[in-house]
Amino acid sequence: MTDTLTILDTLDAEFQRLQERGTRSAPGMLKLVDELRSEIADLRQQGQELASLYEVAQDLAAKSELSDLLESIIDKAIVLVGAERGFVALVGPDGGYYTATARRFGAHDVQETDEAFSSSLVNRVMERREPILTTNIQDDGRFELTQSIIVQRIRSVLAVPLIARGELQGAIYVDTRMSIRPFSEADLRLLQAMASQAAMAIRSARLYDDVRASNAQLNQMVSELRETQAQLVQAERLAAVGRLATSVAHELRNPLMVMRTAVYFLDRVVSEGNVGESGEILKRYFTMIDREIDRQTKIINDLLFFSRNRPRQLADVDLNAILDETLMRVTMPESVEVRRELDAALPTIRADADQLQQVFVNLVTNAVQAMPEGGVLAITSYRDGGDAVALVSDTGVGIPEEDMERLFQPFFTTKDKGIGLGLAVTRSLVEGHRGTISAASQPGHGTTFTVRLPVELVG
Ligand SMILES: Nc1ncnc2c1ncn2[C@@H]1O[C@H](COP(=O)(O)OP(=O)(O)OP(=O)(O)O)[C@@H](O)[C@H]1O
Ligand SMILES: [Mg+2]
């Protein structure tokens, strides 16, 4: 294009010379050259406009977030037509429109009457789906002048509808004041061309938003479904355990009682010294048998919990006494040091003593099992507001982070001889008392279980 202009300049000079020499055809030609020159200037202008439109289109296509997109649209529109201020209005889901999006008004510019004016204008553009261009609004009979338009010295206004595939998306509004040049038909064309790109981009962004929203909803539904399914499977397993437990537990209970009594009497015989040197060996074996009986009894109690839902039998219960009783019931290896820190001022609580016993036998058993090399078992109680709190703390192996979530699930166990019912039962029992149980652990250092029980159990 520059080349063409240079050629034209040369031609121009040539004609000037010809004219000076008095050649007659020169004036007509000169006029022709002038026309050509202005054509070329127009073309160049259009070329630039196309280039900036292309740039805008590229930029808009890259934005999938609606809010980013709107910001970008209004920025580009302002630069494209040399406006001072503007905003993008969108058609809302209810058919009305909202303008809160992407506005570029200087803070001092915004006035309510001002807004009312631009809003009514944008309404009109959207209703008629036709653009509005006014070069001098102060003289334009179509609009009612508000005080603010006069004070603000708004001169030229441009508003175009945003339409994509026949669907109205919204409108772009821009204006200028006296000090700046008014908009022209060319500006209107340019903004309209941009608006059609922008409308398509807005439509895509909105569709994308919709898809994303329904996708999130779907994911949510799928995970809820999974959860429900898992619960169903778990419930079915528990029901099966319950059916099995009833028959097995009763079969086992009696022989265990017989064994316990037998051990007790044999132990007395040994203590009376009638067996000579074998006494020590016998005692060791009795201890072993006793521990095994403990274990079986605990399993039976846990299993029975699932087979019959015995109603709670509430009484005024001394939690400290239950904790002490627990320490006596669970066989304690010598390598484990027990620390009792029980709050003597703890009030009695309304609870089912047998059930609480089972809770703490399970927790203490776990704690002892977590310290195969020995360690410290700390049992603590205190009052906290309306709750009685008991802590069972060990310095054992700890619980890996990834197991924490599954701890209370039935059948979760990491032990060769465990069935994984202990904590599941424990939690049910605590929650049955409207209490809470939680675990905190440092792998390699130890674990603390915290049981909170309301002092006054209502209902
Ligand atoms: N104090 C603790 N320290 C470390 N790990 C623990 C502790 N308490 C529980 N756990 C972990 O939680 C799992 C589940 O405990 P839970 O008492 O429910 O079952 P279990 O002890 O394995 O078997 P069960 O109690 O039925 O004989 C255990 O296998 C163990 O991995
Ligand atoms: Mg256990």
Side-chain angles (χ1 to χ4, degrees), residues 228-240 409-412:
T228 317
Q229 195 199 15
Q231 279 169 3
L232 276 173
V233 170
Q234 202 68 269
E236 180 46 42
R237 282 168 86 180
L238 289 182
Q409 285 176 8
F411 307 111
F412 172 72

Side-chain angles (χ1 to χ4, degrees), residues 178-189:
M178 286 302 190
S179 48
I180 317 262
R181 72 169 179 93
F183 298 126
S184 64
E185 288 287 338
D187 291 324
L188 174 61
R189 273 203 313 278

